[in-house]
Amino acid sequence: KAALNVELKLVAIESWNHRSERAPLEAHLAALEKEDRAADVDLALGFVSSLEIFTESQEQLGLARLEGRHAVLRAMDNAPEHQAITRVFTKLDENERDALYRERKLHKEITLVLHEWGHVLGAPHDTAGDSLLNPAYAVQRTRFPPMTMALLARSLALRDAKIDRKTWAKELHTFIRAAPEGSWSLQDLAGTLADLERVMRGEDAQAAAASSQRDRASFNEVLRLAERGKHREALPFYARAVEAGQATYDLFAFYAKSLDASGDLAGAMT
């Protein structure tokens, strides 16, 4: 509250008659958006069943859309995680291990809510060890790094000014592009910029999310191949994004590098 002048308050708890245990989080989020318009709150949270496996990936535990009003979170009860604590902390008695599990679960729930709230306001992932926007959960996640705090403050100020969504996206896009290199994860930064560009073009949230998933998959493949020096193999993935008209500045920069490395200097210069 002191840093951003924001206080998160629980307004109401309602039952959600939604059952689709093995569905991906995207399907759960779409169902929540359809059922609850969240017209009188800033963020509606929907809770779904836990995973059957133990994971520390925040993206497998929760999901929210950029500039959205909804987030879905998986339940933090996880038998494999409890078993891991029992197996590792052998010098603790049963009550102490149960207490440790409850504390970890509570911290994970709070961390995940703040993580998804950050994404709603436009913040990409970063790799700082104590960052709440780190893509992997750990007990060390306790704060938003300085550049992310500045971005969140800017996003909240723009929302308070009640500007239109296209202007909000344009302002955040400019802010992120002007940030020092290394402020956020390069891989996720490109996806966030692409999401903002879709909002600037006026695309609706669900259409933007579908396009975003395709773009991120292509961009991830581009990075994987380019880092291995397989520039010719990477070219089709660049081409798909370019032909769809959804490429970002960063994608074009990588595209030019791969064209150059593949011997197409003229193409790289254009």
Side-chain angles (χ1 to χ4, degrees), residues 82 85-86 89 91-103:
H82 190 277
I85 290 175
T86 301
F89 296 97
K91 293 185 178 181
L92 300 180
D93 63 33
E94 183 177 355
N95 290 333
E96 290 173 323
R97 289 195 295 266
D98 287 344
L100 176 61
Y101 175 68
R102 287 194 300 271
E103 290 173 9

Side-chain angles (χ1 to χ4, degrees), residues 42-113:
D42 291 317
L43 189 64
L45 300 176
F47 294 90
V48 298
S49 57
S50 62
L51 289 172
E52 296 178 358
I53 60 173
F54 171 60
T55 180
E56 292 188 341
S57 169
Q58 306 248 43
E59 302 315 296
Q60 292 184 34
L61 296 173
L63 181 67
R65 302 194 202 284
L66 177 85
E67 62 123 20
R69 304 181 76 89
H70 303 79
V72 289
L73 311 175
R74 291 198 179 278
M76 295 299 130
D77 294 295
N78 189 276
E81 183 173 2
H82 190 277
Q83 291 166 3
I85 290 175
T86 301
R87 184 171 60 253
V88 173
F89 296 97
T90 56
K91 293 185 178 181
L92 300 180
D93 63 33
E94 183 177 355
N95 290 333
E96 290 173 323
R97 289 195 295 266
D98 287 344
L100 176 61
Y101 175 68
R102 287 194 300 271
E103 290 173 9
R104 180 181 170 88
K105 187 170 68 170
L106 177 59
H107 180 263
K108 189 183 292 187
E109 288 171 345
I110 295 172
T111 297
L112 189 59
V113 169

Side-chain angles (χ1 to χ4, degrees), residues 93-210:
D93 63 33
E94 183 177 355
N95 290 333
E96 290 173 323
R97 289 195 295 266
D98 287 344
L100 176 61
Y101 175 68
R102 287 194 300 271
E103 290 173 9
R104 180 181 170 88
K105 187 170 68 170
L106 177 59
H107 180 263
K108 189 183 292 187
E109 288 171 345
I110 295 172
T111 297
L112 189 59
V113 169
L114 294 175
H115 181 100
E116 299 306 332
W117 180 66
H119 285 329
V120 165
L121 293 175
H125 287 140
D126 62 68
T127 56
D130 59 353
S131 174
L132 292 165
L133 263 297
N134 191 299
Y137 169 77
V139 295
Q140 293 83 5
R141 314 300 186 231
T142 56
R143 70 183 185 103
F144 292 116
M147 280 307 303
T148 297
M149 285 291 288
L151 173 61
L152 295 177
R154 181 62 179 154
S155 181
L156 288 166
L158 291 169
R159 281 194 167 195
D160 289 344
K162 300 187 184 303
I163 63 172
D164 64 273
R165 62 193 295 265
K166 290 184 180 180
T167 303
W168 173 83
K170 182 178 180 180
E171 290 283 340
L172 284 194
H173 191 280
T174 300
F175 183 97
I176 291 173
R177 293 292 307 172
E181 185 176 349
S183 297
W184 296 287
S185 163
L186 174 62
Q187 182 172 316
D188 199 66
L189 180 61
T192 299
L193 290 172
D195 289 344
L196 289 168
E197 288 163 11
R198 293 186 187 93
V199 176
M200 291 160 61
R201 293 196 296 267
E203 294 185 23
D204 67 80
Q206 291 197 28

Side-chain angles (χ1 to χ4, degrees), residues 190-267:
T192 299
L193 290 172
D195 289 344
L196 289 168
E197 288 163 11
R198 293 186 187 93
V199 176
M200 291 160 61
R201 293 196 296 267
E203 294 185 23
D204 67 80
Q206 291 197 28
S211 296
S212 176
Q213 289 180 347
R214 290 193 297 271
D215 276 5
R216 286 171 196 256
S218 294
F219 190 74
N220 289 345
E221 190 64 14
V222 162
L223 284 180
R224 187 183 71 82
L225 292 171
E227 287 173 354
R228 296 181 180 181
K230 297 182 177 181
H231 293 284
R232 289 187 182 278
E233 291 90 335
L235 292 179
F237 295 96
Y238 293 113
R240 290 174 197 171
V242 173
E243 289 171 3
Q246 298 173 341
T248 65
Y249 174 87
D250 300 274
L251 198 65
F252 275 119
F254 278 107
Y255 194 10
K257 181 177 180 181
S258 287
L259 286 170
D260 184 24
S262 300
D264 187 355
L265 181 58

